[in-house]
Amino acid sequence: MKKLITALLLVLCLTFSIGQGQAQAAESCENVLNQGSATIESGWFTQQAPTIGWYKGVVTTDVKYDVCTPTAVIRVNGNDWNKLVKDGKLDGLRYEVYQYAEKDGNYQNFLFRQIQTGQPQTITAAQFRQ
């Protein structure tokens, strides 16, 4: 009888722990990938997920990506960009700037922006994801 109760409790524990692990994984949009230090900046242009930041090491670097938000990397003529912003045609556009929002030792965060009423405003990675 004790073995049966123990087996039942074990099955219940495994069931709940597996279910919680999947729920927690589904809630997190931030994924950390360890990659070579020399590939970080080129990865910013080639990854389909936005780069939130990284902790720079000598040989490898932990890079934090937002895996829930697909993105595209484009280059725009600066004069065209400024004209579209001034005309209000980019209001609501969210974008990531290759510039550091914070730099704390070896950890660096990128800057996320959104055009609001013709002016770029800094937003968080979570607001970029919405």
Side-chain angles (χ1 to χ4, degrees), residues 29-94:
C29 285
E30 296 178 0
N31 191 3
V32 176
L33 177 67
N34 185 274
Q35 61 190 69
S37 289
T39 63
I40 301 303
E41 293 182 357
S42 62
W44 188 82
F45 295 103
T46 59
Q47 293 290 336
Q48 292 183 350
T51 305
I52 296 172
W54 69 72
Y55 183 80
K56 190 154 183 74
V58 176
V59 176
T60 63
T61 297
D62 291 331
V63 184
K64 188 186 296 184
Y65 292 103
D66 177 351
V67 295
C68 295
T69 308
T71 61
V73 177
I74 60 171
R75 295 190 77 114
V76 178
N77 178 293
N79 294 329
D80 293 343
W81 174 267
N82 292 333
K83 183 178 181 325
L84 290 169
V85 169
K86 183 180 168 191
D87 294 345
K89 298 197 177 190
L90 297 179
D91 280 355
L93 180 76
R94 292 171 287 174

Side-chain angles (χ1 to χ4, degrees), residues 7-8 11 13 16 30 34 42 86 101-102 106 117 125 127 130:
L8 181 61
V11 168
C13 289
F16 286 115
E30 296 178 0
N34 185 274
S42 62
K86 183 180 168 191
E102 300 175 18
N106 286 337
T117 61
Q127 291 170 316
Q130 296 174 348

